[in-house]
Amino acid sequence: MVTQVLEKATPEERLPTPQTASEFSFPIATPYPIQLDFMQRLFEIIERHEFAIFESPTGTGKSLSIICGALTWLKHDSERKARTAPTAASSTAVTDDDQRPDWVVAYEKKQQLDAGNAAGSDENDAQQKYLRWVANTRRREAAERKKGLMASRRGVPTASKAESNKRKTDEGGNGSDDEVVVVEAYYSGDEDAQQKPSNGLDDDGQVHYSAEVRKLLERRAGNRPLYDSSDDSDNDDSSDSAVPPKEPSITKVIYASRTHSQLQQFVNEIKRTQFASADKVKCVTLGSRMQLCVNERARQGAQSVHAINERCLEMQTAGSKKSARCGYLPLQHTPMLDFKDATGSAIMDIEELAKEGRRRCTCPYYGARASVNGAHVVALPYNTLLSRSARQAMGISLAGNVVVIDEAHNLVDTILAIHSISLDLRTVKALQEMVQMYFTKYWRRLKGSNVTYIRQTTALLKALSKFMQTIADGTTRVVSVNEFLTMAHADHINVYKIDRYLRESKLGRKLNMFSDRLVQKDSDVPSKRPTATVRETVAGPAPATAVAAFEAFMECLGKPDRTGSRLIIRATSSSKSGVEVELKYLQLDPSEAFGEICSEARAVVLAGGTMKPANDVVEQLLPSQSEPQSTPLDLKLDPANARLFAWSHVVDRSHICSVVVGSGPTGAALRFAHGDQGDPAKLREAGLALAALCQVTPGGVVAFFPSYALLDRMHRNWTSAGIVDRISKRKPVFVESSTSSGDVLELYSARVKAAGSTGALLLSVVGGRLSEGINFSDELGRAVVMVGVPFPSLASPELAERLAYYEGMAGAPSAASGVIGSMGPRARELYESLCMRAVNQSIGRAIRHRNDYAAIVFLDARYAEPRIARKLPTWIVGSAGPTATASAFGPALAQVASFFKREFA
């Protein structure tokens, strides 16, 4: 009988969408209808490889819907792969009367498996290889610990070697402590091939090793942590392999949000579901060293994440007298493998990861990184996901995975901010001094092309410093990168090669170590005051921060032809340091960074409580393509195919009272455009209106203003007119400042919640610390009052360039005129959308759950204009207002009073 061969499985069978909450493993028996619909739409978007925007108001269980929808798809997808993957047992059916030789049957089986699904076989082989390496490593290291052989792996120097090092230092050499500061031999490419020693020796006659060999030697010498997850290795799985094979990555959901508190909330929601208990989903939260470093010696005195990063990397390098190896970086693999097992068996948030690291004396930062490939869910901050270099450093691959970006209302702004870099004159001058000092000390020991490139770097810094010192106070110019280099007389310098040199040579890391040694050397002499050079160069701008800023700026200059790139040259007066000159690189096109994410991931979903208006977001992230769309990837990146889902609130519409007030108590118009904000009469009218609203509103009232300047102006006006005293008789007034908000929020909350309280009034700013991420539920926010429309200032060159780029016209709209009507239609649409997204975030602070209720009052007639009203959230537009016309104050006040008296008295 002839052997039967299974037909090759189809690339991917279509998964049916679950229809009930139980099929989604939803932890609540009866979810809100919008939650079930949310999960179904999410499942379908992932299955179809699409891009979508989901708007689900706060309090509707959005996080839980994301978890159950995405993880249900992940579970079904895993089952699909198990069904369709061919196995050795099922690939062939051989009868007992088959008379062929065994080797023929075995060969045919192998051919069938290879032809059936070679990729799946490779994945299985890689997994088995990794598991064998883990088992062999655990066994070998257990034997080493038992035999006490770890001392030899620590590289403890002998007495004669220590004496030799001391003698070398005493004789004027730099000793082993300086070896780590000197940048390694650098060869930039083919143009420097003639510099490479043909006999395999360096300039001083020493052997010149390849980068791969040097990496292996460093690890064996203990100069790098053996478990570093950033290394990709194809080494075999033999028990003595110094570098582990890479753990195969499984399909996962990558969840990004804005803050660590939001990530913590998401992780805790997973713990509530059966995905954590029954399905044993593995979830890891990623953070920076600022959140996860548990070495107090590394954290001590570090004011920025850059400083902690450099200190951590230095503490991984042997040979430095100052930086002994970090005690949380084990020399064996087993402690890190144990940490990974712990994170895989129990879902932990960022704080629990740090606590587990302290308990096990194992670095949770590297432990979390090492756990990425084997995790089903990876939770991480915006900045890590949106930066390609950060993703690569963390070992995150988007290929075939699901990306969910929560709280995505500011996604475009975040992308532009991440890829826009500022460099000031003070930093440039400090770096110029630092590089010159470094070169003076070590130039004789630099090999390869280091001398050439460090001289070019110094020349560039000198050119930048000289140019910036010529900028007059009050100057603001916007130019292209090439125009700037010409103006600075630096167009003869190859900034692309310098950018590559800084990245590949790790000169920045060496400069940080060098500056640390300067400070340490100066402080070791108690009677000696720090020299001017050390005090100004090293103790001025933090070296780690300064170097990081310069490297990021050079990376931008190295791409002068990038679409949407501009450079702002700005000089402003400062009472502390005179004229401050700043160079700011602007990236105006977010589609480049986001396009990488969207093209690599299986599906991308943007979620938020207030995503409207969304049209400009889609157009900026997925710009229109001129050529016909043919491939699935082209279709996913086509803005015409973007899906938008918007659900109303779970609260009954009778729980929301929204009204636009067009005139104040005296009949004066309420319209606070830029030209009206200096009119004392109009400011007083707003105060009288707010005072009357406070009389009829129970509990807390939160009023939002367009800016801190207008808030301060109105508050002073109201105080002098006695309005603040009138309000305070019923509701004490608390005012947010631009420097601090935590204490004000605590005082306001305590006053509202106090026994017998009649509430309080909180004055805050749209886009400020209290306008996003703060919960004003129940009595804390019975009314939200929007005073004015918070249009961003047209005087900002950043905004002007952004509007001009979006409009696609040659020049920016006139910032001096401040006339919205002078813009093109696309620029005006974006300008209004930027404003209304901030408004929607502010008013969304009030309604937080199904039984909540609040009044939303707009003290500006412009909110009734159709262009503005249609950009309000669905749950506001669908309630009792706002209407096409603004109400007079009397009817509006009666409507609010009746709302509280009739429904909630």
Side-chain angles (χ1 to χ4, degrees), residues 734-780:
F734 299 88
V735 184
E736 176 192 5
S737 69
S738 58
T739 57
S740 176
S741 60
D743 293 342
V744 172
L745 180 60
E746 291 179 5
L747 292 172
Y748 167 78
S749 301
R751 180 64 178 83
V752 172
K753 295 177 180 179
S757 172
T758 55
L761 171 63
L762 176 62
L763 307 182
S764 53
V765 173
V766 175
R769 294 172 176 82
L770 300 180
S771 65
E772 293 189 32
I774 303 298
N775 187 345
F776 290 116
S777 64
D778 300 321
E779 293 299 318
L780 289 179

Side-chain angles (χ1 to χ4, degrees), residues 661 663-666 668-672 679-695 701 703 705 710-711 713-728 733 761 763 785-788 859 889 893:
V661 183
S663 59
T666 68
L670 290 179
R671 184 182 179 92
F672 300 101
D679 187 342
K682 291 190 175 182
L683 302 185
R684 182 174 179 273
E685 195 76 6
L688 294 174
L690 186 58
L693 287 168
C694 287
Q695 290 296 318
V701 177
F705 297 77
L710 182 59
L711 168 58
R713 190 178 302 128
M714 283 196 171
H715 185 254
R716 283 189 281 108
N717 178 285
W718 299 348
T719 301
S720 62
I723 297 175
V724 171
D725 290 338
R726 186 187 310 177
I727 296 174
S728 298
V733 180
L761 171 63
L763 307 182
V785 182
M786 301 299 304
V787 182
L859 292 185
F889 183 75
L893 182 65

